[in-house]
Amino acid sequence: MSRSYACAEAVVATLLAGGVTDLVLAPGSRSAPLALAAHAAQAAGRLRLHVRVDERSAGFLALGLAKVSGRVVPVVTTSGTAVGNLLPAVMEAHHSRVSLLVVSADRPADLVGTGANQTTVQPGIFGVFVRGERAVDAADRPMTWAETVTAAVSTASGGQNGYPGPVHLNLALPEPLVPDDPEGDWGRKRLQLEVPEPAVEAGFEPVVLDAAPPTVVVAGDASPSEGARARAFAEAAGLPLLAEPSSNARGGTNALRCGRLLLGTELADQVQRVVMFGHPTLSRPVTRLLTRTDVELVVVGSGPDLPNPGRHATLTAKAVTSAPNTAQQPRWLAAWLAADQACGRRLDGLLAGLSYVSGPAVAEAVVRGTGEGILALGNSMAIRDADLAPILTKPATVYANRGLSGIDGTVSTAVGLSLGSGWPVTLLCGDLSFVHDINGLAIGPGEPRPALRVVVADDAGGAIFTTLEYGQARFADSFERVFATPTGIDPVTLASAYGVPARRLGGLVELRDALAVPVRGLEVLVVGVDRAQRRELSDAVAHCVDG
């Protein structure tokens, strides 16, 4: 009898009992028992299995699945460097509070440190970036297997403390790795485990904030439910709302299109309190506001380790409500909205007068073209350009990897968003983000396939650096090679090599026409964007607040 396979069966069955519906697998030898057990579970109709050859892509696929579904999603790897390749996804999951479960196969403990092939020290490999670590040894008593896995799932889901995040489950699997009877009694016994009802969060009373000081609401990267709470609070309290694109609060009557630009005006000098939702990271003006020592900072959220810019939050609360102050707030909100509308008109005029295709114009077309669907935004310029798009009455649900704001895993995460939601997804990203995660398009035959449209704003390099200190003329000799880093790769050719339909569009008219067609399957649209004038455009955008 293979104890390793019996252990793998118990692990997969316990995952199913804990509410797992999707599992991502990267191939390997030591993980063979888990691969066979997961495949059997899919054959029995109890699991949707996703297989990827690249562990880094697999990790971000699992991240996207977990982010959009709210469920724990395991990613299974073999031993050795395969585990290390998951670190970027684990780090992002840690900072964005996503329920990612790393299930790594390992050699038995007596082989660690002996030079055995593909054997390293896997416990502790993710350091401080996991909520917890658990170990299962197939040689231990079978009753301990399910207990350990159940604890890992509970920790990843944040069921005990409202703090979801990545967990590492390391399985020591001795040979033999395969069962004597491949069929076994899998479908007849272990799959009879029932999925428990999800826990209901206990109720709590919101903190009532007095409405005396001039207040703004800032919403950073957040889930749709958290974004809805931020928007509802701002509208009920009659306060201006500075909402990042991935806050899922950027809509309605109080959201400001030009919020980050208005923070350079006299209005911002009058702010005495900020009520913050989510994880704001997108702009330096917002960061400066949140770290001002003369501004009272109220942080709204649950669980430990809430963001605390400047380390001077005066209050943290799970929920807040505001006492009315009709003497001040209508005038305060009206002043912000009037300034925002004026700034928006100047911004529209600026973008309409350009003789080239700009990043903000592409982002606006994508935001409008996505409508009420699901929009994924790459980091660097894509999400910042989307931050200048007009406020829509019925905006898309937006996701971005803003935990650490890296460009890695962008395509794979978007694939996970589509597969996890069952809805079409539009992704806007730059050419570097696209090339960096091109293996996200490596989806084998027979695998579940997403409905995903990838729009690549191709500016032949890293445009964001032109807007930063390194983009100054005095760094011209080094800038192109060590900051812009053009790859010389045509995204259309690259996508086509992966068997994905791809085409280059001639400009904004073609882009709008393409976006008007419903998303079906997987496709890549590439739009050339001017980078040479990005710094000048950024300066001009900043001056749109001037009367």
Side-chain angles (χ1 to χ4, degrees):
M1 175 184 178
S2 170
R3 286 185 65 87
S4 289
Y5 185 72
C7 178
E9 276 192 330
V11 168
V12 173
T14 307
L15 292 174
L16 296 175
V20 167
T21 60
D22 290 85
L23 182 145
V24 181
L25 169 72
S29 177
R30 186 58 51 168
S31 56
L34 289 162
L36 292 170
H39 187 267
Q42 177 180 262
R46 294 297 305 274
L47 180 72
R48 187 167 60 159
L49 178 62
H50 311 265
V51 180
R52 295 295 188 272
V53 297
D54 180 345
E55 287 86 5
R56 187 174 70 176
S57 177
F60 280 100
L61 170 61
L63 181 88
L65 287 162
K67 180 175 286 194
V68 76
S69 69
R71 297 189 181 98
V72 175
V73 176
V75 54
V76 175
T77 73
T78 192
S79 60
T81 58
V83 188
N85 280 316
L86 296 178
L87 179 59
V90 168
M91 293 172 71
E92 176 63 28
H94 166 68
H95 287 282
S96 55
R97 300 185 172 209
V98 176
S99 301
L100 183 70
L101 178 62
V102 173
V103 183
S104 58
D106 201 354
R107 264 53 174 181
D110 58 0
L111 292 181
V112 177
T114 67
N117 184 47
Q118 211 173 77
T119 302
T120 186
V121 180
Q122 293 178 189
I125 194 170
F126 299 115
V128 299
F129 299 110
V130 288
R131 299 289 186 268
E133 286 189 296
R134 300 283 177 170
V136 170
D137 191 334
D140 284 346
R141 296 173 300 156
M143 65 177 297
T144 65
W145 299 340
E147 293 175 355
T148 303
V149 176
T150 298
V153 171
S154 176
T155 302
S157 68
Q160 297 177 342
N161 58 4
Y163 189 40
V167 170
H168 183 197
L169 178 63
N170 196 58
L171 274 62
L173 301 173
E175 297 179 353
L177 300 174
V178 297
D180 297 329
D181 177 7
E183 299 300 325
D185 59 2
W186 173 260
R188 292 189 296 274
K189 290 185 179 178
R190 291 200 171 95
L191 283 181
Q192 301 307 310
L193 290 168
E194 295 297 325
V195 177
E197 291 294 324
V200 178
E201 188 179 69
F204 48 84
E205 290 296 324
V207 174
V208 179
L209 302 177
D210 69 88
T215 300
V216 297
V217 180
V218 170
D221 183 67
S223 66
S225 59
E226 188 175 10
R229 288 193 290 271
R231 174 177 165 179
F233 169 76
E235 292 180 353
L239 297 173
L241 171 60
L242 288 75
E244 295 181 359
S246 63
S247 68
N248 289 294
R250 192 179 171 88
T253 57
N254 293 37
L256 304 174
R257 174 187 182 182
C258 302
R260 79 185 196 216
L261 303 179
L262 295 177
L263 291 181
T265 68
E266 293 181 357
L267 275 174
D269 296 336
Q270 301 174 45
V271 174
Q272 296 180 24
R273 174 193 284 161
V274 176
V275 182
M276 187 186 87
F277 294 78
H279 184 204
T281 58
L282 195 57
S283 72
R284 292 182 178 183
V286 170
T287 299
R288 285 193 290 269
L289 172 66
L290 296 174
T291 54
R292 275 172 46 185
T293 56
D294 63 328
V295 170
E296 176 189 356
L297 178 62
V298 177
V299 177
V300 185
S302 61
D305 198 26
L306 289 173
N308 184 7
R311 299 182 183 275
H312 72 102
T314 54
L315 173 67
T316 60
K318 287 187 175 181
V320 291
T321 187
S322 180
N325 185 337
T326 55
Q328 171 189 290
Q329 288 187 1
R331 294 196 301 272
W332 174 246
L333 175 61
W336 281 88
L337 292 177
D340 187 59
Q341 291 167 4
C343 183
R345 287 192 296 270
R346 289 188 285 269
L347 178 59
D348 286 337
L350 169 67
L351 298 179
L354 298 177
S355 60
Y356 56 87
V357 177
S358 69
V362 170
E364 178 177 344
V366 172
V367 168
R368 290 188 183 278
T370 304
E372 297 180 63
I374 296 178
L375 174 62
L377 293 173
N379 287 316
S380 296
M381 292 313 302
I383 191 168
R384 288 173 172 81
D385 287 340
D387 193 39
L388 296 173
I391 304 296
L392 302 182
T393 303
K394 296 181 178 179
T397 301
V398 182
Y399 294 92
N401 286 340
R402 297 301 296 175
L404 287 178
S405 308
I407 67 169
D408 40 353
T410 301
V411 177
S412 300
T413 302
V415 171
L417 294 174
S418 175
L419 293 174
S421 66
W423 288 91
V425 171
T426 299
L427 165 66
L428 172 63
C429 67
D431 55 299
L432 293 186
S433 294
F434 181 70
V435 171
H436 197 280
D437 191 35
I438 190 62
N439 269 356
L441 300 182
I443 304 173
E447 292 301 312
R449 299 189 71 81
L452 173 64
R453 172 179 287 151
V454 182
V455 179
V456 181
D458 182 12
D459 53 14
I464 190 171
F465 295 113
T466 66
T467 69
L468 301 175
E469 297 87 338
Y470 340 112
Q472 298 174 11
R474 60 196 179 100
F475 297 111
D477 290 344
S478 59
F479 179 82
E480 193 68 10
R481 185 178 183 192
V482 301
F483 292 106
T485 60
T487 64
I489 297 172
D490 176 23
V492 172
T493 303
L494 190 58
S496 299
Y498 279 75
V500 175
R503 56 195 169 112
R504 184 173 289 273
L505 304 178
L508 294 174
V509 174
E510 288 189 31
L511 175 60
R512 294 187 189 105
D513 290 343
L515 291 168
V517 178
V519 179
R520 295 186 179 91
L522 182 59
E523 68 169 342
V524 175
L525 306 176
V526 181
V527 185
V529 174
D530 184 277
R531 175 162 61 86
Q533 302 181 73
R534 173 62 88 158
R535 187 175 184 88
E536 290 77 7
L537 176 59
S538 179
D539 292 340
V541 166
H543 284 97
C544 285
V545 296
D546 300 333

